[in-house]
Amino acid sequence: MVSLAFVLTIGDVSRFARGKQVGSYLGLIPSEESSGQHRRLGGVSKQGNSLVRWLLVQAASRAQSSDASWHRQYMRLSMNKHHGVAKVAIAHKLAVRLY
């Protein structure tokens, strides 16, 4: 279900040069408000398709609970960040791999 929604939302993959742009398109990156030398990162930008973003976060949650390598990445991230931020980071990595 996740891959079908991902493919239908992304469409032609040739319009993205790399996976990082897919994460930006789906709104899985932090918003940024910068001025001069100051760089302020906010929450998830939420500019993409909300259904696909939700599906990716759910799939990331399931992946980290069932796969050892995803779980290691999640645990490493959750030691320094909130568990919700770690889930979204895993969802971003999942979107890049799906790309």
Coordinates of all heavy atoms in Angstrom, one line a residue:
M1 N 0.8 -1.2 0.0 CA 0.0 0.0 0.0 C 0.9 1.3 0.0 O 0.6 2.2 -0.7 CB -0.9 0.0 1.2 CG -1.9 1.1 1.3 SD -3.1 1.1 -0.1 CE -4.3 0.0 0.5
V2 N 1.9 1.2 0.8 CA 2.8 2.4 0.9 C 3.5 2.7 -0.4 O 3.6 3.8 -0.9 CB 3.9 2.2 2.0 CG1 4.8 3.4 2.1 CG2 3.2 2.0 3.4
S3 N 4.0 1.6 -1.0 CA 4.7 1.8 -2.3 C 3.8 2.3 -3.4 O 4.2 3.1 -4.2 CB 5.4 0.5 -2.7 OG 4.5 -0.5 -2.9
L4 N 2.6 1.8 -3.5 CA 1.6 2.2 -4.5 C 1.3 3.7 -4.3 O 1.3 4.5 -5.3 CB 0.3 1.4 -4.4 CG -0.8 1.8 -5.3 CD1 -0.3 1.6 -6.8 CD2 -2.0 1.0 -5.1
A5 N 1.0 4.1 -3.1 CA 0.8 5.6 -2.8 C 2.0 6.4 -3.1 O 1.9 7.5 -3.7 CB 0.3 5.8 -1.4
F6 N 3.2 5.9 -2.8 CA 4.4 6.6 -3.1 C 4.6 6.8 -4.6 O 4.9 7.9 -5.0 CB 5.6 5.8 -2.5 CG 6.9 6.5 -2.6 CD1 7.3 7.5 -1.7 CD2 7.8 6.2 -3.6 CE1 8.5 8.1 -1.8 CE2 9.0 6.8 -3.8 CZ 9.4 7.8 -2.8
V7 N 4.4 5.8 -5.4 CA 4.6 5.9 -6.8 C 3.6 6.8 -7.4 O 3.9 7.6 -8.3 CB 4.5 4.4 -7.5 CG1 4.4 4.5 -9.0 CG2 5.7 3.6 -7.1
L8 N 2.3 6.7 -7.0 CA 1.3 7.6 -7.5 C 1.5 9.0 -7.2 O 1.2 9.9 -8.0 CB -0.1 7.1 -7.1 CG -0.6 5.8 -7.6 CD1 -1.9 5.4 -7.0 CD2 -0.7 5.9 -9.2
T9 N 2.0 9.3 -6.0 CA 2.3 10.7 -5.6 C 3.5 11.3 -6.3 O 3.5 12.4 -6.7 CB 2.5 10.8 -4.1 OG1 1.3 10.3 -3.4 CG2 2.7 12.2 -3.6
I10 N 4.6 10.5 -6.4 CA 5.8 11.0 -7.0 C 5.7 11.2 -8.5 O 6.2 12.1 -9.0 CB 7.0 10.0 -6.6 CG1 7.2 10.0 -5.1 CG2 8.3 10.4 -7.4 CD1 7.6 11.3 -4.5
G11 N 5.0 10.2 -9.1 CA 4.9 10.3 -10.6 C 6.2 10.0 -11.3 O 6.8 9.0 -11.0
D12 N 6.6 10.8 -12.2 CA 7.8 10.6 -13.0 C 9.1 10.9 -12.1 O 9.3 12.0 -11.7 CB 7.8 11.5 -14.2 CG 9.0 11.2 -15.1 OD1 9.6 10.1 -15.0 OD2 9.4 12.1 -15.9
V13 N 9.9 9.9 -11.8 CA 11.0 10.0 -10.9 C 12.2 10.8 -11.6 O 13.1 11.2 -10.9 CB 11.5 8.7 -10.4 CG1 10.5 8.0 -9.5 CG2 12.0 7.8 -11.5
S14 N 12.1 10.9 -12.9 CA 13.2 11.6 -13.6 C 13.3 13.1 -13.2 O 14.3 13.8 -13.5 CB 13.2 11.4 -15.1 OG 12.0 12.0 -15.6
R15 N 12.2 13.7 -12.6 CA 12.2 15.1 -12.3 C 13.0 15.4 -11.0 O 13.2 16.5 -10.7 CB 10.8 15.6 -12.2 CG 10.0 15.0 -11.1 CD 8.5 15.4 -11.2 NE 7.7 14.7 -10.2 CZ 6.7 15.3 -9.6 NH1 6.4 16.5 -9.8 NH2 6.0 14.6 -8.7
F16 N 13.4 14.3 -10.3 CA 14.2 14.5 -9.1 C 15.6 14.0 -9.4 O 15.8 12.9 -9.9 CB 13.6 13.6 -7.9 CG 12.2 14.0 -7.6 CD1 11.2 13.2 -7.9 CD2 12.0 15.2 -6.9 CE1 9.9 13.5 -7.5 CE2 10.7 15.6 -6.6 CZ 9.6 14.7 -6.9
A17 N 16.6 14.8 -9.1 CA 18.0 14.5 -9.4 C 18.5 13.5 -8.4 O 19.3 12.6 -8.7 CB 18.8 15.7 -9.4
R18 N 18.0 13.5 -7.1 CA 18.5 12.6 -6.1 C 17.4 12.4 -5.0 O 16.4 13.1 -5.0 CB 19.7 13.1 -5.5 CG 19.7 14.5 -5.0 CD 21.0 15.1 -4.7 NE 20.8 16.5 -4.5 CZ 21.7 17.3 -3.9 NH1 22.8 16.8 -3.5 NH2 21.4 18.6 -3.8
G19 N 17.6 11.5 -4.2 CA 16.6 11.1 -3.2 C 16.3 12.2 -2.2 O 15.2 12.3 -1.6
K20 N 17.3 13.1 -1.9 CA 17.1 14.2 -1.0 C 15.9 15.1 -1.4 O 15.2 15.6 -0.6 CB 18.4 14.9 -0.9 CG 18.7 15.5 0.4 CD 20.1 16.1 0.4 CE 20.4 16.9 1.6 NZ 21.7 17.5 1.6
Q21 N 15.8 15.3 -2.7 CA 14.7 16.1 -3.3 C 13.4 15.5 -3.1 O 12.4 16.2 -2.9 CB 15.0 16.4 -4.7 CG 16.2 17.3 -4.9 CD 16.6 17.5 -6.4 OE1 16.1 16.8 -7.2 NE2 17.4 18.5 -6.6
V22 N 13.3 14.2 -3.1 CA 12.1 13.5 -2.8 C 11.6 13.7 -1.4 O 10.4 14.0 -1.2 CB 12.2 11.9 -3.1 CG1 11.0 11.2 -2.7 CG2 12.5 11.7 -4.6
G23 N 12.5 13.6 -0.5 CA 12.2 13.9 0.9 C 11.6 15.3 1.1 O 10.7 15.6 1.9
S24 N 12.2 16.3 0.4 CA 11.8 17.6 0.4 C 10.4 17.8 -0.2 O 9.5 18.5 0.3 CB 12.8 18.5 -0.3 OG 12.3 19.9 -0.3
Y25 N 10.2 17.1 -1.3 CA 8.9 17.2 -2.0 C 7.8 16.6 -1.1 O 6.6 17.1 -1.1 CB 9.0 16.4 -3.3 CG 7.7 16.3 -4.1 CD1 7.2 17.4 -4.8 CD2 6.9 15.2 -4.1 CE1 6.1 17.4 -5.5 CE2 5.7 15.1 -4.8 CZ 5.3 16.2 -5.5 OH 4.2 16.2 -6.3
L26 N 8.1 15.6 -0.3 CA 7.1 15.0 0.6 C 6.9 15.7 1.9 O 6.0 15.4 2.7 CB 7.4 13.5 0.8 CG 7.3 12.6 -0.4 CD1 7.8 11.2 0.0 CD2 5.9 12.5 -0.9
G27 N 7.7 16.7 2.2 CA 7.6 17.4 3.4 C 8.2 16.7 4.6 O 7.8 17.0 5.7
L28 N 9.2 15.9 4.4 CA 9.9 15.1 5.5 C 11.2 15.8 6.0 O 12.0 15.1 6.6 CB 10.1 13.7 5.0 CG 8.9 12.8 4.8 CD1 9.3 11.5 4.2 CD2 8.2 12.6 6.2
I29 N 11.4 17.0 5.7 CA 12.6 17.7 6.1 C 12.2 18.9 7.0 O 11.0 19.3 7.0 CB 13.4 18.3 4.9 CG1 12.5 19.2 4.1 CG2 13.9 17.1 4.0 CD1 13.3 20.0 3.1
P30 N 13.1 19.4 7.8 CA 12.7 20.5 8.7 C 12.6 21.8 8.0 O 13.3 22.0 7.0 CB 13.9 20.5 9.7 CG 15.0 19.8 9.1 CD 14.4 18.8 8.1
S31 N 11.7 22.6 8.4 CA 11.6 24.0 7.9 C 12.8 24.8 8.3 O 13.3 24.5 9.4 CB 10.2 24.6 8.2 OG 10.2 24.7 9.6
E32 N 13.1 25.8 7.6 CA 14.3 26.6 7.9 C 14.0 28.1 7.8 O 13.3 28.5 6.9 CB 15.4 26.2 6.9 CG 16.7 27.0 7.2 CD 17.8 26.5 6.3 OE1 17.6 25.6 5.5 OE2 18.9 27.1 6.4
E33 N 14.4 28.8 8.8 CA 14.3 30.3 8.8 C 15.7 30.8 9.1 O 16.1 30.8 10.3 CB 13.3 30.7 9.8 CG 11.9 30.3 9.5 CD 10.9 30.7 10.6 OE1 11.2 31.6 11.4 OE2 9.8 30.1 10.6
S34 N 16.4 31.2 8.1 CA 17.7 31.7 8.2 C 17.8 33.2 8.0 O 17.1 33.7 7.1 CB 18.7 30.9 7.3 OG 18.6 29.6 7.6
S35 N 18.8 33.8 8.7 CA 19.0 35.2 8.5 C 20.5 35.5 8.8 O 20.9 35.2 9.9 CB 18.1 36.1 9.4 OG 18.5 37.4 9.2
G36 N 21.3 35.9 7.8 CA 22.7 36.2 8.0 C 23.4 34.9 8.4 O 23.4 33.9 7.7
Q37 N 24.0 35.0 9.6 CA 24.8 33.8 10.1 C 24.0 32.8 10.9 O 24.5 31.8 11.3 CB 26.0 34.3 10.9 CG 27.0 35.2 10.2 CD 27.7 34.5 9.1 OE1 28.0 33.3 9.2 NE2 27.9 35.1 8.0
H38 N 22.8 33.2 11.2 CA 21.9 32.4 12.1 C 21.1 31.4 11.2 O 20.4 31.8 10.3 CB 21.0 33.2 12.9 CG 21.7 34.1 13.8 ND1 22.4 33.7 15.0 CD2 22.0 35.4 13.7 CE1 23.0 34.7 15.6 NE2 22.8 35.8 14.8
R39 N 21.1 30.1 11.6 CA 20.3 29.1 10.9 C 19.4 28.5 11.9 O 19.9 27.8 12.9 CB 21.2 28.1 10.3 CG 20.5 27.0 9.5 CD 21.5 26.1 8.8 NE 20.8 25.1 8.1 CZ 21.2 23.9 7.8 NH1 22.5 23.6 8.2 NH2 20.5 23.0 7.2
R40 N 18.1 28.6 11.7 CA 17.1 28.1 12.6 C 16.3 27.0 11.9 O 15.6 27.3 10.9 CB 16.2 29.2 13.1 CG 16.8 30.2 14.0 CD 15.8 31.3 14.4 NE 16.5 32.6 14.5 CZ 16.6 33.5 13.5 NH1 16.0 33.2 12.4 NH2 17.2 34.6 13.7
L41 N 16.4 25.8 12.4 CA 15.6 24.7 11.9 C 14.4 24.4 12.7 O 14.4 24.4 14.0 CB 16.4 23.4 11.8 CG 17.6 23.5 10.9 CD1 18.4 22.2 11.0 CD2 17.2 23.7 9.5
G42 N 13.2 24.3 12.1 CA 12.0 24.1 12.8 C 11.5 22.7 12.7 O 12.3 21.7 12.5
G43 N 10.2 22.5 12.7 CA 9.6 21.2 12.6 C 9.5 20.8 11.2 O 10.0 21.4 10.3
V44 N 8.8 19.6 10.9 CA 8.7 19.1 9.6 C 7.9 20.1 8.8 O 6.9 20.7 9.2 CB 8.0 17.8 9.6 CG1 7.7 17.2 8.2 CG2 8.8 16.8 10.4
S45 N 8.3 20.4 7.5 CA 7.7 21.4 6.7 C 6.2 21.1 6.3 O 5.5 22.0 6.1 CB 8.5 21.7 5.5 OG 8.5 20.5 4.6
K46 N 5.9 19.8 6.2 CA 4.5 19.4 5.9 C 4.0 20.0 4.6 O 2.8 20.3 4.5 CB 3.5 19.8 7.0 CG 3.9 19.1 8.3 CD 2.9 19.5 9.4 CE 3.3 18.9 10.7 NZ 2.4 19.3 11.8
Q47 N 4.8 20.1 3.6 CA 4.4 20.7 2.3 C 4.0 19.7 1.3 O 3.4 20.0 0.3 CB 5.5 21.6 1.8 CG 5.8 22.8 2.6 CD 6.8 23.7 1.9 OE1 7.5 23.3 1.0 NE2 6.9 24.9 2.4
G48 N 4.2 18.4 1.6 CA 3.9 17.4 0.6 C 2.5 16.8 0.9 O 1.7 17.3 1.6
N49 N 2.3 15.6 0.3 CA 1.1 14.9 0.5 C 1.0 14.3 1.9 O 1.8 13.5 2.3 CB 1.0 13.8 -0.6 CG -0.3 13.1 -0.6 OD1 -1.0 12.9 0.4 ND2 -0.7 12.7 -1.8
S50 N 0.0 14.7 2.6 CA -0.1 14.3 4.0 C -0.4 12.8 4.2 O 0.1 12.1 5.1 CB -1.2 15.1 4.8 OG -2.4 14.9 4.2
L51 N -1.1 12.2 3.2 CA -1.4 10.8 3.3 C -0.1 9.9 3.1 O 0.1 9.0 3.9 CB -2.5 10.4 2.3 CG -2.8 8.9 2.2 CD1 -3.4 8.4 3.5 CD2 -3.7 8.5 1.1
V52 N 0.7 10.3 2.1 CA 1.9 9.5 1.9 C 2.9 9.7 3.0 O 3.5 8.8 3.5 CB 2.5 10.0 0.5 CG1 3.9 9.3 0.3 CG2 1.6 9.6 -0.6
R53 N 2.9 11.0 3.6 CA 3.8 11.2 4.7 C 3.4 10.4 5.9 O 4.2 9.7 6.6 CB 3.8 12.7 5.1 CG 4.8 13.1 6.0 CD 5.0 14.6 6.2 NE 3.7 15.3 6.3 CZ 3.1 16.1 5.4 NH1 3.7 16.3 4.3 NH2 2.0 16.7 5.7
W54 N 2.1 10.3 6.2 CA 1.6 9.5 7.3 C 1.9 8.0 7.0 O 2.3 7.3 8.0 CB 0.1 9.7 7.4 CG -0.5 8.9 8.5 CD1 -0.5 9.1 9.9 CD2 -1.3 7.7 8.4 NE1 -1.2 8.2 10.5 CE2 -1.6 7.2 9.7 CE3 -1.6 6.9 7.3 CZ2 -2.3 6.1 9.9 CZ3 -2.3 5.7 7.5 CH2 -2.7 5.3 8.8
L55 N 1.7 7.5 5.8 CA 2.0 6.1 5.5 C 3.4 5.8 5.7 O 3.8 4.7 6.2 CB 1.5 5.8 4.0 CG 0.0 5.6 3.8 CD1 -0.2 5.5 2.3 CD2 -0.5 4.4 4.5
L56 N 4.3 6.7 5.3 CA 5.7 6.5 5.4 C 6.1 6.5 6.9 O 7.0 5.6 7.3 CB 6.5 7.6 4.7 CG 6.6 7.4 3.2 CD1 7.2 8.6 2.5 CD2 7.4 6.2 2.8
V57 N 5.5 7.3 7.7 CA 5.9 7.3 9.2 C 5.4 6.0 9.8 O 6.1 5.4 10.6 CB 5.3 8.5 9.9 CG1 5.4 8.4 11.4 CG2 6.0 9.8 9.4
Q58 N 4.2 5.5 9.4 CA 3.7 4.2 9.9 C 4.6 3.1 9.4 O 4.8 2.2 10.2 CB 2.2 4.0 9.4 CG 1.3 5.0 10.0 CD 1.2 5.0 11.5 OE1 1.2 4.0 12.1 NE2 1.3 6.2 12.1
A59 N 5.0 3.1 8.2 CA 5.9 2.0 7.7 C 7.2 2.1 8.4 O 7.8 1.0 8.6 CB 6.0 2.2 6.1
A60 N 7.7 3.3 8.6 CA 9.0 3.4 9.4 C 8.9 2.9 10.8 O 9.8 2.2 11.3 CB 9.4 4.9 9.4
S61 N 7.7 3.1 11.4 CA 7.5 2.6 12.8 C 7.5 1.1 12.7 O 8.1 0.4 13.6 CB 6.2 3.1 13.3 OG 6.0 2.6 14.6
R62 N 6.9 0.5 11.7 CA 6.8 -1.0 11.6 C 8.2 -1.5 11.3 O 8.6 -2.6 11.8 CB 5.8 -1.3 10.6 CG 5.6 -2.8 10.4 CD 4.9 -3.5 11.5 NE 4.8 -4.9 11.3 CZ 5.2 -5.8 12.1 NH1 5.6 -5.5 13.3 NH2 5.0 -7.1 11.8
A63 N 8.9 -0.8 10.4 CA 10.2 -1.3 10.0 C 11.2 -1.3 11.1 O 12.0 -2.3 11.3 CB 10.7 -0.5 8.8
Q64 N 11.1 -0.3 11.9 CA 12.1 -0.3 13.1 C 11.8 -1.3 14.1 O 12.7 -1.7 14.8 CB 12.2 1.2 13.7 CG 11.0 1.6 14.4 CD 11.0 1.2 15.9 OE1 12.1 0.9 16.4 NE2 9.9 1.3 16.5
S65 N 10.5 -1.7 14.2 CA 10.2 -2.8 15.2 C 10.5 -4.2 14.7 O 10.6 -5.1 15.5 CB 8.7 -2.6 15.6 OG 7.9 -2.9 14.5
S66 N 10.6 -4.4 13.4 CA 10.7 -5.7 12.8 C 12.1 -6.0 12.2 O 12.5 -7.1 12.1 CB 9.6 -6.0 11.8 OG 9.7 -5.2 10.7
D67 N 12.8 -5.0 11.8 CA 14.1 -5.1 11.2 C 15.2 -4.6 12.1 O 15.2 -3.5 12.6 CB 14.1 -4.4 9.8 CG 15.4 -4.7 9.0 OD1 15.7 -5.9 8.8 OD2 16.0 -3.8 8.6
A68 N 16.3 -5.4 12.2 CA 17.4 -5.0 13.1 C 18.1 -3.8 12.7 O 18.5 -2.9 13.5 CB 18.3 -6.2 13.3
S69 N 18.4 -3.6 11.4 CA 19.2 -2.5 10.9 C 18.4 -1.2 11.1 O 19.0 -0.2 11.5 CB 19.6 -2.7 9.5 OG 18.5 -2.7 8.6
W70 N 17.1 -1.2 10.8 CA 16.3 0.0 11.0 C 16.1 0.3 12.5 O 16.1 1.5 12.9 CB 14.9 -0.2 10.4 CG 14.8 -0.2 8.9 CD1 14.7 -1.2 8.1 CD2 15.0 1.0 8.1 NE1 14.7 -0.8 6.8 CE2 14.8 0.5 6.7 CE3 15.1 2.3 8.3 CZ2 14.9 1.4 5.7 CZ3 15.2 3.2 7.2 CH2 15.1 2.7 5.9
H71 N 16.1 -0.8 13.3 CA 16.0 -0.5 14.8 C 17.2 0.1 15.3 O 17.1 1.0 16.2 CB 15.7 -1.9 15.5 CG 15.4 -1.7 16.9 ND1 14.3 -1.1 17.4 CD2 16.2 -2.1 18.0 CE1 14.4 -1.1 18.7 NE2 15.5 -1.7 19.1
R72 N 18.4 -0.3 14.8 CA 19.6 0.3 15.3 C 19.7 1.8 14.9 O 20.1 2.6 15.7 CB 20.8 -0.4 14.6 CG 21.3 -1.6 15.4 CD 22.7 -2.0 14.9 NE 22.8 -2.2 13.5 CZ 22.5 -3.2 12.8 NH1 22.0 -4.3 13.4 NH2 22.7 -3.2 11.4
Q73 N 19.3 2.1 13.7 CA 19.2 3.5 13.3 C 18.2 4.3 14.1 O 18.5 5.5 14.6 CB 18.8 3.7 11.8 CG 19.9 3.2 10.9 CD 19.4 3.3 9.4 OE1 18.5 4.0 9.1 NE2 20.2 2.6 8.5
Y74 N 17.1 3.7 14.4 CA 16.1 4.4 15.2 C 16.6 4.6 16.6 O 16.4 5.7 17.2 CB 14.8 3.6 15.3 CG 13.8 4.1 16.2 CD1 13.0 5.3 15.9 CD2 13.6 3.5 17.5 CE1 12.1 5.7 16.8 CE2 12.7 4.0 18.4 CZ 11.9 5.1 18.1 OH 11.0 5.6 19.0
M75 N 17.2 3.6 17.2 CA 17.7 3.8 18.6 C 18.9 4.8 18.7 O 18.9 5.6 19.6 CB 18.2 2.4 19.1 CG 17.1 1.4 19.4 SD 15.9 2.0 20.5 CE 16.8 2.1 22.0
R76 N 19.7 4.8 17.7 CA 20.8 5.8 17.6 C 20.2 7.2 17.6 O 20.7 8.1 18.3 CB 21.7 5.6 16.4 CG 22.9 6.5 16.3 CD 23.7 6.3 15.1 NE 23.0 6.3 13.9 CZ 22.6 7.4 13.2 NH1 22.9 8.5 13.7 NH2 21.9 7.3 12.1
L77 N 19.2 7.4 16.7 CA 18.5 8.7 16.6 C 17.7 9.1 17.9 O 17.8 10.3 18.3 CB 17.6 8.8 15.4 CG 18.3 8.8 14.1 CD1 17.3 8.5 13.0 CD2 19.0 10.1 13.9
S78 N 17.1 8.1 18.5 CA 16.2 8.4 19.6 C 17.0 8.7 20.9 O 16.4 9.2 21.9 CB 15.2 7.3 19.8 OG 15.8 6.1 20.2
M79 N 18.3 8.4 20.9 CA 19.1 8.7 22.1 C 19.3 10.2 22.2 O 19.5 10.7 23.4 CB 20.4 7.9 22.0 CG 20.2 6.4 22.2 SD 21.8 5.6 22.1 CE 22.4 5.8 23.7
N80 N 19.3 10.9 21.1 CA 19.6 12.4 21.2 C 18.3 13.2 20.8 O 18.3 14.4 21.1 CB 20.7 12.7 20.2 CG 22.0 12.1 20.6 OD1 22.3 11.9 21.7 ND2 22.8 11.7 19.6
K81 N 17.4 12.6 20.2 CA 16.2 13.3 19.7 C 14.9 12.7 20.3 O 14.9 11.6 20.9 CB 16.0 13.2 18.2 CG 17.2 13.7 17.4 CD 17.3 15.2 17.4 CE 18.4 15.7 16.5 NZ 18.7 17.1 16.6
H82 N 13.8 13.4 20.2 CA 12.5 12.9 20.6 C 12.1 11.7 19.7 O 12.5 11.6 18.6 CB 11.5 14.0 20.5 CG 10.1 13.6 21.1 ND1 9.1 13.1 20.4 CD2 9.7 13.7 22.4 CE1 8.1 12.9 21.1 NE2 8.4 13.3 22.4
H83 N 11.4 10.7 20.3 CA 11.1 9.5 19.5 C 10.3 9.8 18.2 O 10.4 9.2 17.2 CB 10.3 8.5 20.3 CG 9.0 8.9 20.8 ND1 7.9 8.7 20.1 CD2 8.6 9.5 22.0 CE1 6.8 9.2 20.8 NE2 7.3 9.7 21.9
G84 N 9.4 10.9 18.3 CA 8.7 11.3 17.1 C 9.6 11.8 16.0 O 9.4 11.5 14.8
V85 N 10.6 12.6 16.4 CA 11.6 13.1 15.4 C 12.4 11.9 14.8 O 12.6 11.9 13.6 CB 12.5 14.1 16.1 CG1 13.6 14.5 15.2 CG2 11.8 15.3 16.6
A86 N 12.7 10.9 15.6 CA 13.4 9.8 15.1 C 12.6 9.0 14.1 O 13.1 8.5 13.1 CB 13.8 8.9 16.3
K87 N 11.3 8.9 14.4 CA 10.4 8.2 13.5 C 10.3 8.9 12.1 O 10.3 8.2 11.1 CB 9.0 8.0 14.0 CG 8.8 7.0 15.0 CD 7.4 6.9 15.4 CE 7.2 5.9 16.6 NZ 5.8 5.9 17.1
V88 N 10.2 10.2 12.1 CA 10.2 11.0 10.9 C 11.5 10.9 10.1 O 11.5 10.8 8.9 CB 9.8 12.4 11.1 CG1 9.9 13.3 9.9 CG2 8.4 12.5 11.7
A89 N 12.6 10.8 10.9 CA 13.9 10.7 10.2 C 14.0 9.3 9.5 O 14.5 9.2 8.4 CB 15.0 10.8 11.2
I90 N 13.5 8.3 10.2 CA 13.5 6.9 9.6 C 12.6 6.9 8.4 O 12.8 6.3 7.3 CB 13.1 5.9 10.6 CG1 14.1 5.8 11.7 CG2 12.9 4.5 10.0 CD1 15.5 5.3 11.3
A91 N 11.4 7.6 8.4 CA 10.5 7.7 7.3 C 11.2 8.4 6.1 O 11.0 8.1 5.0 CB 9.2 8.5 7.7
H92 N 12.0 9.4 6.4 CA 12.8 10.1 5.4 C 13.8 9.2 4.7 O 13.9 9.1 3.5 CB 13.5 11.4 5.9 CG 14.2 12.1 4.9 ND1 15.6 11.9 4.7 CD2 13.9 13.1 4.1 CE1 16.0 12.7 3.8 NE2 15.0 13.4 3.4
K93 N 14.4 8.4 5.5 CA 15.4 7.4 5.0 C 14.7 6.4 4.1 O 15.2 5.9 3.1 CB 16.2 6.7 6.1 CG 17.2 7.6 6.8 CD 17.8 6.9 7.9 CE 18.7 7.9 8.7 NZ 20.1 7.6 8.6
L94 N 13.5 6.0 4.6 CA 12.7 5.0 3.8 C 12.2 5.6 2.5 O 12.3 4.9 1.4 CB 11.5 4.6 4.6 CG 10.6 3.5 4.1 CD1 11.3 2.2 3.9 CD2 9.4 3.3 5.0
A95 N 11.9 6.9 2.5 CA 11.4 7.5 1.2 C 12.6 7.6 0.2 O 12.4 7.4 -1.0 CB 10.9 8.9 1.5
V96 N 13.8 7.9 0.8 CA 15.0 7.9 -0.1 C 15.3 6.5 -0.7 O 15.6 6.4 -1.9 CB 16.2 8.5 0.7 CG1 17.5 8.3 -0.1 CG2 16.0 10.0 1.0
R97 N 15.1 5.5 0.1 CA 15.4 4.2 -0.4 C 14.3 3.8 -1.4 O 14.6 3.1 -2.4 CB 15.4 3.2 0.7 CG 16.7 3.2 1.5 CD 16.9 1.9 2.3 NE 18.1 2.0 3.1 CZ 18.4 1.1 4.0 NH1 17.6 0.1 4.2 NH2 19.5 1.3 4.7
L98 N 13.1 4.2 -1.2 CA 12.0 3.9 -2.2 C 12.3 4.6 -3.5 O 11.9 4.0 -4.5 CB 10.6 4.3 -1.6 CG 10.0 3.3 -0.6 CD1 8.7 4.0 0.0 CD2 9.7 2.0 -1.2
Y99 N 12.8 5.7 -3.4 CA 13.2 6.5 -4.6 C 14.2 5.7 -5.5 O 14.0 5.5 -6.7 CB 13.7 7.8 -4.3 CG 14.4 8.6 -5.5 CD1 13.6 9.1 -6.5 CD2 15.8 8.6 -5.5 CE1 14.2 9.8 -7.5 CE2 16.4 9.3 -6.6 CZ 15.6 9.8 -7.6 OH 16.2 10.5 -8.6

